[in-house]
Amino acid sequence: SKMAVVLRADKVLRLAARTPTLAFTRSAFVARKRNYDQPNWLGVGLAFGTSAALWAYLFKQHDDDVVEYERRKRERQHKCTDCS
């Protein structure tokens, strides 16, 4: 039991001794330092374009809902004896 603990500790220490090379590997998340002098115009355009498209869809949907509301309101007020 004590021997197993010693062997496990030895294995962990050996792995720890080999890992400093990992500190010099390139991270997948920080590939290069950001340059704030040159904005990412593609990203900016996509962000504003998406926002504009969503607002246009919102206004169109609102207009469609108002038209449907008015149509149903007219149907409720219609009291024709021939229809019923």
Side-chain angles (χ1 to χ4, degrees):
S1 167
K2 267 188 174 183
M3 187 65 175
V5 171
V6 170
L7 287 175
R8 247 185 267 137
D10 182 55
K11 186 177 180 180
V12 167
L13 288 174
R14 284 185 195 200
L15 284 174
R18 277 191 274 165
T19 54
T21 57
L22 292 178
F24 298 108
T25 60
R26 187 172 166 174
S27 171
F29 299 104
V30 183
R32 61 190 157 106
K33 195 173 182 180
R34 281 187 177 240
N35 182 4
Y36 292 105
D37 296 332
Q38 294 179 332
N40 178 5
W41 291 114
L42 178 63
V44 171
L46 283 172
F48 280 111
T50 302
S51 179
L54 287 172
W55 275 104
Y57 176 74
L58 180 72
F59 281 116
K60 180 190 169 302
Q61 188 66 45
H62 173 71
D63 290 342
D64 292 346
D65 290 344
V66 169
V67 167
E68 180 67 15
Y69 170 77
E70 295 295 334
R71 185 189 66 78
R72 290 183 184 191
K73 187 175 166 185
R74 280 193 311 272
E75 277 183 4
R76 278 195 312 269
Q77 291 173 351
H78 180 73
K79 303 266 194 253
C80 179
T81 55
D82 294 336
C83 295
S84 52

